Amino acid sequence: MSKSIYEEALEIMINSFLPRDYFNKTNKLKVMKALEKAPKQEKLLGHYKDLAEVRKKLYDLTTNFKPSNIGVMIALFTQETLVSNIIKELENE
């Protein structure tokens, strides 16, 4: 995702207002499709942030390993797997 959906939609909208543009309807459809994708991209971003947070916690626990943290580490590994699966499902839609 090199360019956000919002940036793409804004660029298309700006280009559609130029007087030399004869494909205004096409650009409107592109904007509508881009904006329809925006909520999915926002969800994905939230899940990626969650995944990064879980992985940071795991990293911190493994670098300062204590046997008493094993239960927490198992819960974090489970959470990492669940969030990763959600991301894969959203990306495959």
Side-chain angles (χ1 to χ4, degrees):
M1 292 188 275
S2 59
K3 195 189 304 186
S4 82
I5 295 297
Y6 296 112
E7 289 172 332
E8 185 179 336
L10 183 60
E11 184 179 303
I12 293 167
M13 283 176 29
I14 290 168
N15 290 337
S16 72
F17 293 117
L18 295 175
R20 67 178 189 272
D21 191 342
Y22 298 107
F23 302 104
N24 200 14
K25 185 176 180 181
T26 303
N27 282 338
K28 285 180 184 176
L29 290 173
K30 286 180 185 178
V31 169
M32 288 171 50
K33 286 183 181 184
L35 292 175
E36 286 173 0
K37 291 179 187 177
K40 178 182 166 187
Q41 186 181 29
E42 203 166 354
K43 262 187 191 176
L44 270 171
L45 179 61
H47 290 303
Y48 274 114
K49 286 180 181 178
D50 293 343
L51 186 61
E53 187 178 315
V54 169
R55 287 181 175 170
K56 183 184 180 328
K57 288 177 185 177
L58 276 170
Y59 176 78
D60 291 343
L61 287 173
T62 55
T63 54
N64 301 314
F65 180 75
K66 294 177 186 162
S68 60
N69 291 336
I70 290 177
V72 174
M73 291 174 71
I74 290 171
L76 287 170
F77 278 123
T78 303
Q79 187 177 359
E80 179 188 31
T81 302
L82 292 173
V83 174
S84 294
N85 288 340
I86 291 169
I87 289 170
K88 286 177 188 173
E89 287 177 19
L90 284 172
E91 287 179 340
N92 289 331
E93 285 181 357

